[in-house]
Amino acid sequence: MIALGPLDLKSNLFLSPLAGYTNLPFRLVVRELGGLDLATTDLVNARSLLERNPKALKLIETNDQDRPLAVQLFGSVPEEMRDAALMLQERGVSAIDINMGCPVKKVCRVGGGSAMMTELGRTAGLVRTMVNALRIPVTAKMRLGWDEQNLTAPDLASALEDAGIAAVFVHGRTREQGFSGRVNLAGIRDVVRAVRRVPVIGNGDVTTPEAARHMFAETGCAGVSIGRGAFYDPWIFRRTHQLLRTGVVPPEPSFTDRVAVMCRHLDLMVTVFGEKHGCVMFRKVAPWYSKRFGPASEFNKPVVQLASRAQFHELLEKYLRWRAQFCDESGDLSPRYRPGPMSASFMEPSASPPSALRDVIPVPRGPVEVW
Ligand SMILES: Cc1cc2nc3c(=O)[nH]c(=O)nc-3n(C[C@H](O)[C@H](O)[C@H](O)COP(=O)(O)O)c2cc1C
């Protein structure tokens, strides 16, 4: 369906890296629901991998069901990036993605992330060093540029194509924009037009199958990558394929299905990270699920103190009893309590204020707020 260099993929929909979230448990949850082929790890520091730093090694933890897998690397020393990529190739990783669009200060300071986008020649050299040493494809993830005056992504994508990159993932915002404002589809289209053969994968604010279809149609991109939208709807990959194939929008997952998947996610977190740590990590994951539950204060309050699997099931039972007051006789949420439909920034009328758009798909609070 789509090829990244030598790697043939069954799906042109991708899971975007979300540091702290796109770990093995979440990737497995989404894969089990279908529609996704290549998934990516959170970004990993190349040097830390070479130093066999335990935290970095945990970030690349995978298993046989988690295939094909790309690892996203960041760093600016070509030899380190190459050697880390070689190590990953030996371990059976299917592709290496280079982070060029991460606006977190820690990453920019060492010359990785968005800083790379302003230094075309150096970045192309880094890619060439990696491509020449590897059998597996190397891809790049970038934003449109540093700011509105410096939309460097088309030039960068073209230079990287010459350097042997196998695909370009582009988030349709600038570094200066952070996560605010609208995703710029024309900007993504310019990147598509700037390359000759390599697939360009569009990204940003895709929260519904219709939004994915719109991004394909407006930009001519070869694939769409979905990050936060996969949290609100882990079925989004399967549902988008259904829409593209049949023209019919599949129904949203039911509340019961959402709860079942959330429980599966916790079980996998406990398996991979151990009960204590898995539960602590799940404190920030569960509220993403509950965004689509309707009234959820009685779920969100106790879940931030989650410490064990048994406690989770207890609080869930309590919540289900509390939530019943908002439901009709058939057990469905009464219409006035149902969460509004999801919509992507680029599907909103252009007169809508950017702040309102931002609320539609929030960036979680905490250190990741500046991503
Ligand atoms: C919590 C969080 C963590 C992220 N971590 C990464 C990362 O590790 N590497 C990266 O290239 N982008 C990262 N991003 C950016 C996403 O991959 C994606 O480009 C962005 O969220 C827009 O897509 P979306 O609207 O589908 O989420 C992160 C975004 C968020 C919200």
Side-chain angles (χ1 to χ4, degrees):
M1 188 171 198
I2 187 172
L4 308 191
L7 181 66
D8 282 326
L9 297 174
K10 293 193 225 35
S11 170
N12 58 357
L13 303 177
F14 299 82
L15 180 64
S16 301
L18 298 174
Y21 298 93
T22 38
N23 43 33
L24 177 60
F26 185 58
R27 297 194 302 269
L28 292 175
V29 161
V30 177
R31 287 180 187 285
E32 285 172 8
L33 299 176
L36 177 71
D37 203 15
L38 187 72
T40 309
T41 63
D42 300 6
L43 92 170
V44 190
N45 183 321
R47 186 175 301 167
S48 304
L49 264 189
L50 291 172
E51 290 167 350
R52 306 288 193 275
N53 174 307
K55 281 194 183 143
L57 292 176
K58 194 71 185 168
L59 288 175
I60 61 164
E61 180 168 359
T62 180
N63 68 16
D64 288 347
Q65 283 72 53
D66 185 34
R67 299 277 184 275
L69 178 68
V71 171
Q72 190 186 61
L73 289 179
F74 81 89
S76 58
V77 181
E79 294 70 28
E80 286 178 3
M81 291 288 276
R82 177 198 61 201
D83 292 348
L86 280 168
M87 168 188 157
L88 294 164
Q89 178 177 273
E90 283 310 300
R91 287 176 168 236
V93 164
S94 299
I96 304 294
D97 187 42
I98 307 175
N99 177 290
M100 298 187 187
C102 164
V104 172
K105 281 205 184 67
K106 182 174 77 175
V107 181
C108 288
R109 226 181 15 234
V110 297
S114 299
M116 276 193 187
M117 303 191 57
T118 56
E119 293 186 39
L120 257 55
R122 200 170 64 83
T123 307
L126 178 139
V127 168
R128 207 167 280 123
T129 303
M130 296 175 73
V131 168
N132 288 342
L134 292 166
R135 288 187 310 277
I136 55 175
V138 177
T139 63
K141 173 142 182 300
M142 60 184 71
R143 283 182 175 238
L144 290 179
W146 193 265
D147 55 31
E148 224 22 64
Q149 284 67 49
N150 295 283
L151 296 178
T152 43
D155 286 348
L156 178 60
S158 165
L160 296 186
E161 178 166 42
D162 292 339
I165 207 90
V168 170
F169 292 77
V170 56
H171 177 188
R173 289 191 173 92
T174 62
R175 184 217 186 257
E176 190 184 54
Q177 258 183 300
F179 279 88
S180 64
R182 208 171 294 270
V183 164
N184 176 354
L185 295 183
I188 297 178
R189 190 165 58 230
D190 288 342
V191 180
V192 172
R193 287 183 178 156
V195 297
R196 293 182 307 280
R197 335 169 275 285
V198 296
V200 171
I201 321 298
N203 166 240
D205 284 4
V206 172
T207 45
T208 60
E210 296 96 311
R213 178 174 64 180
H214 190 75
M215 186 177 273
F216 275 115
E218 291 296 309
T219 68
C221 61
V224 165
S225 187
I226 302 171
R228 292 166 293 168
F231 264 103
Y232 295 118
D233 177 8
W235 290 261
I236 192 165
F237 302 97
R238 190 172 82 191
R239 295 177 67 235
T240 300
H241 281 301
Q242 282 171 355
L243 171 65
L244 296 176
R245 207 177 47 243
T246 64
V248 179
V249 185
E252 279 212 29
S254 67
F255 174 70
T256 317
D257 287 344
R258 288 180 189 280
V259 169
V261 165
M262 179 176 68
C263 293
R264 169 78 179 138
H265 194 162
L266 176 63
D267 285 347
L268 288 165
M269 293 288 280
V270 168
T271 307
V272 171
F273 295 105
E275 178 152 20
K276 194 160 162 235
H277 189 46
C279 285
V280 170
M281 289 174 76
F282 206 66
R283 291 175 187 177
K284 63 174 186 176
V285 173
W288 286 70
Y289 283 98
S290 67
K291 288 245 178 334
R292 305 301 293 160
F293 285 177
S297 57
E298 292 305 302
F299 176 83
N300 292 336
K301 263 187 264 158
V303 92
V304 296
Q305 302 198 341
L306 188 65
S308 74
R309 201 175 159 279
Q311 186 195 350
F312 181 77
H313 284 278
E314 231 170 76
L315 77 84
L316 181 60
E317 284 307 316
K318 241 185 180 165
Y319 168 64
L320 294 178
R321 283 196 297 274
W322 176 80
R323 187 178 177 276
Q325 65 184 300
F326 306 104
C327 297
D328 57 26
E329 308 78 59
S330 55
D332 291 329
L333 213 52
S334 307
R336 67 192 170 109
Y337 294 114
R338 285 184 202 150
M342 299 295 302
S343 94
S345 63
F346 54 82
M347 304 280 279
E348 297 282 321
S350 51
S352 312
S355 56
L357 296 173
R358 195 178 181 188
D359 291 345
V360 173
I361 180 159
V363 180
R365 259 188 243 113
V368 288
E369 201 163 27
V370 287
W371 279 79

